[in-house]
Amino acid sequence: MPIEVEIVSPEKVLFSRAVDMAVMPGLEGDIAAMPDHAPMMLLLRGGVVELYQDGAVTDRFFVAGGFADLTATRCTILADQATVLSDLSVDAAQARLAALEASYEAADKMNVPALDLLMEKMQSARAEIEAAGGPAA
């Protein structure tokens, strides 16, 4: 029995189909959504969502954070940003990381919420570089 998976970015629905399993980058570690999974809400970190059919990965997407809603029959991923893995650019992600690092250096070190947000975005940019085939940062 498959699970219905939907991956939604702010711009559009990137994926909507039944698969055997979806592995996603949870904030506290990767988690697999499979049929009859206990219901839960999950915060996502930047990383790769892998979709499986018949024991093999059929589709891969990069998500830059967001959350997932899991039920026994469905997994809905609401991503801050989502991209088909083959569309990623190492150069663009490296440029984004450099700009974020510069912002972090210039930020008020007493503004902890702003620093936390910048750190989260830098982690996502590093994950995107790695997912695009660049060197692990």
Side-chain angles (χ1 to χ4, degrees):
M1 176 168 86
I3 185 167
E4 291 291 326
V5 174
E6 191 168 64
I7 301 174
V8 182
S9 75
E11 296 85 26
K12 63 182 176 179
V13 175
L14 272 85
F15 184 90
S16 183
R17 191 174 80 225
V19 298
D20 291 337
M21 178 174 66
V23 177
M24 61 206 101
L27 193 61
E28 297 181 11
D30 291 353
I31 188 167
M34 297 183 287
D36 298 324
H37 195 289
M40 69 181 337
M41 294 292 291
L42 175 71
L43 286 173
L44 300 175
R45 70 180 192 284
V48 177
V49 174
E50 294 182 326
L51 305 173
Y52 289 79
Q53 193 66 43
D54 298 322
V57 176
T58 57
D59 299 278
R60 297 177 81 204
F61 296 87
F62 177 81
V63 294
F67 67 94
D69 180 20
L70 282 69
T71 69
T73 60
R74 186 163 192 85
C75 172
T76 303
I77 297 171
L78 299 173
D80 297 339
Q81 171 192 345
T83 309
V84 175
L85 208 61
S86 60
D87 291 345
L88 293 180
S89 163
V90 172
D91 292 338
Q94 287 175 330
R96 190 166 36 264
L97 177 60
L100 288 165
E101 288 172 338
S103 293
Y104 184 86
E105 289 304 316
D108 175 5
K109 300 304 185 259
M110 298 302 289
N111 187 346
V112 175
L115 294 175
D116 286 347
L117 181 60
L118 284 168
M119 289 293 290
E120 182 180 316
K121 289 181 178 185
M122 287 189 296
Q123 181 277 329
S124 182
R126 288 184 184 106
E128 184 175 349
I129 292 166
E130 189 173 343

